[in-house]
Amino acid sequence: TIKVPDAWGSRVGLVLAMAGNAVGFGNFLRFPVQAVQNGGGAFIIPYLVSLLILGLPLILIEWSTGRYGGSFGYHSTPLMMRKMGRKAIWMYVGVFGIFSNIAIASYYCYMESWTMSYVFHSVVGTFNGMDQHQVASFFSGYLDVTTSTTGIPFEAIVFFLLCLSLNVWILSKGLSGGIEKAAKIGVPLLIVFGIFLAIKGITLKAGHDGAVFDGLKGLNFLWTPEFSSLANPKVWLAAAGQIFFTLSVGMGCIQAYASYVKKDDDIACNAMSAGFMNEFVEIVLGSSIIIPIAVGYFGIDRVIELTHMGGLGLGFRTMPFLFAQWGPVMAALSGVAFFGLLFFAGITSSLAMGTPVVGFFQDEFGWRKGRAAIGFGVIILIIGLPTVLFFQQGVFDEYDYWAGTVALFVFAMFESIMFAWVFKLDKGWAEITRGSDIRVPLFFRFTLKYITPVVLIVVFVASLIRPANDDWSKISVTGWSLHSESILGQISHQGGGPNNTYFATNFYSEVDGMV
Ligand code: PHE
Ligand code: NA
């Protein structure tokens, strides 16, 4: 059968789609919480180092893998990896690049659907006049699928279905007709919304019970370097974990997008542009919204405590209450800006997760776009429903841990080994630089060969040596003083309590008496 492969409509569209892929909940909910919990300013140096030695090298690997694979007509990682690694085993490694997307999309689309509902509730003013406890428990009520906050029965499921259908519909329109349009609308809008909220956040002077706090202090806290915690491996692991998640590396979705780039078109400059857009949104906007606004009301010490409930708690339980303090009009505007921003950040990421799956169905089964997109929707529905129905039992966290942390890390490690040592760096470097509009610094050549794979292997091996019950205190008797869980566990368990994952979850325990 002759298939006309899909293609990107324009370079701007491609870069915005890749930026939209990277910019997600991670930038606004996860990054600020990670930074606060890891000492504020102390986090930023390990973060930037991880960006340089892990993040940027990996996006170069993934863009070039994708474009290379695409030149053979492959649009998902299994066949790309087999082609480059020349052994069947690499195909199985490549399966991660489909599996992880399905698993992450299953809970990510669910979060995305909450933002739709919260936009609605911000518009109609649901949170106005509620006290803090009511706003916080509203979220638990929403997540309990049997209660309804709008009068629609099984509301959380209804929004989930709506959100999933929207994703399927956009995916069925293909790249230039669907994803690119979504990115051209979503990315600029989320930046505008973000700037509006950031200005609000850093100029905020509020407080409670007579104490006056200043939002700008929150920003200062994130940016005042504190060198002492640089020696703390936990901070480094948290920083590296954040870099992985935020840049969407180790997933297979960058490769899928890049597989539609023409053989001699630039990738290095595009990759760097999209990567830096993500970093701008994360470092500048991500640190100027939830933390400064919360600090403006509660002060820093209280906010450090609040971050133990993680990004989801701050975003969905605390923010709507704080917006409501600004009067009904500003509350509606801010709520729409905040949850709208999260919605656009989310959907441009979930579309990226769908693309390798849709591509796989098209390549392997010869399905058309529409059918492949529906196939993706059905899979997400089946796999995602447990996160909806059993949220409180921790299914969401399990998905997040295994797919959003472990799988992505392992896949990135294999990719970096395969690229530099099996495909061979000379060929790899030629792939990265062909058609490039920038000179890629030679620093990356050295890093791709030695630093990135070695760092990933070391962390991985360390994570396998885990004592019974994750009880590292027993190990420390032998002089090895890592006390806590496995290293991979630590990457994701930064959020606070023992069962915390990426976005956090102790909502059901700690959140209520917030002030
Ligand atoms: N990078 C996105 C974020 O920061 C998450 C994501 C992961 C997107 C995997 C696509 C694939 O939220
Ligand atoms: Na991101």
Side-chain angles (χ1 to χ4, degrees), residues 23-41:
V23 173
F25 299 130
N27 300 51
F28 297 99
L29 302 178
R30 189 170 190 278
F31 170 78
V33 168
Q34 290 289 311
V36 169
Q37 293 204 320
N38 289 285

Side-chain angles (χ1 to χ4, degrees), residues 107-354:
Y107 67 86
Y108 211 88
C109 287
Y110 187 37
M111 290 171 72
E112 212 172 293
S113 73
W114 309 341
T115 66
M116 294 171 100
S117 154
Y118 270 62
V119 166
F120 167 80
H121 285 291
S122 302
V123 172
V124 301
T126 306
F127 305 113
N128 298 336
M130 280 191 181
D131 67 26
Q132 239 180 292
H133 177 82
Q134 287 168 319
V135 174
S137 40
F138 180 89
F139 187 47
S140 328
Y142 179 81
L143 293 175
D144 176 353
V145 294
T146 57
T147 55
S148 171
T149 59
T150 50
I152 306 168
F154 302 102
E155 180 191 347
I157 297 180
V158 172
F159 275 108
F160 179 55
L161 291 175
L162 203 69
C163 183
L164 196 54
S165 313
L166 187 61
N167 274 278
V168 167
W169 180 67
I170 297 173
L171 284 171
S172 76
K173 301 262 166 208
L175 299 180
S176 55
I179 293 172
E180 232 173 296
K181 284 196 180 132
K184 282 183 178 159
I185 299 169
V187 174
L189 263 181
L190 82 84
I191 291 176
V192 171
F193 288 171
I195 290 173
F196 166 74
L197 291 163
I199 292 173
K200 230 8 229 171
I202 59 187
T203 57
L204 183 68
K205 286 195 177 44
H208 68 92
D209 293 345
V212 177
F213 296 111
D214 179 346
L216 193 56
K217 287 229 169 67
L219 194 63
N220 285 339
F221 172 68
L222 291 181
W223 285 103
T224 310
E226 198 191 289
F227 294 96
S228 61
S229 62
L230 279 182
N232 181 350
K234 273 189 89 166
V235 175
W236 283 92
L237 291 165
Q242 177 62 21
I243 282 296
F244 267 75
F245 195 84
T246 194
L247 289 172
S248 316
V249 294
M251 288 287 304
C253 56
I254 292 181
Q255 294 89 324
Y257 272 6
S259 71
Y260 300 96
V261 175
K262 293 195 195 73
K263 201 165 152 276
D264 296 313
D265 280 358
D266 167 273
I267 48 175
C269 181
N270 288 343
M272 292 297 163
S273 312
F276 281 109
M277 274 174 89
N278 179 67
E279 292 313 308
F280 165 79
V281 172
E282 179 143 302
I283 296 173
V284 179
L285 301 180
S287 55
S288 311
I289 302 174
I290 63 172
I291 300 301
I293 293 177
V295 166
Y297 281 94
F298 302 128
I300 291 190
D301 297 335
R302 186 69 191 113
V303 169
I304 294 176
E305 279 171 46
L306 282 178
T307 57
H308 288 292
M309 70 186 182
L312 291 185
L314 267 183
F316 290 88
R317 305 183 75 134
T318 311
M319 284 303 129
F321 171 72
L322 300 181
F323 297 151
Q325 310 309 302
W326 301 341
V329 176
M330 266 310 271
L333 286 176
S334 310
V336 170
F338 184 64
F339 294 108
L341 159 166
L342 290 180
F343 172 72
F344 288 125
I347 193 160
T348 49
S349 294
S350 57
L351 292 170
M353 298 172 204

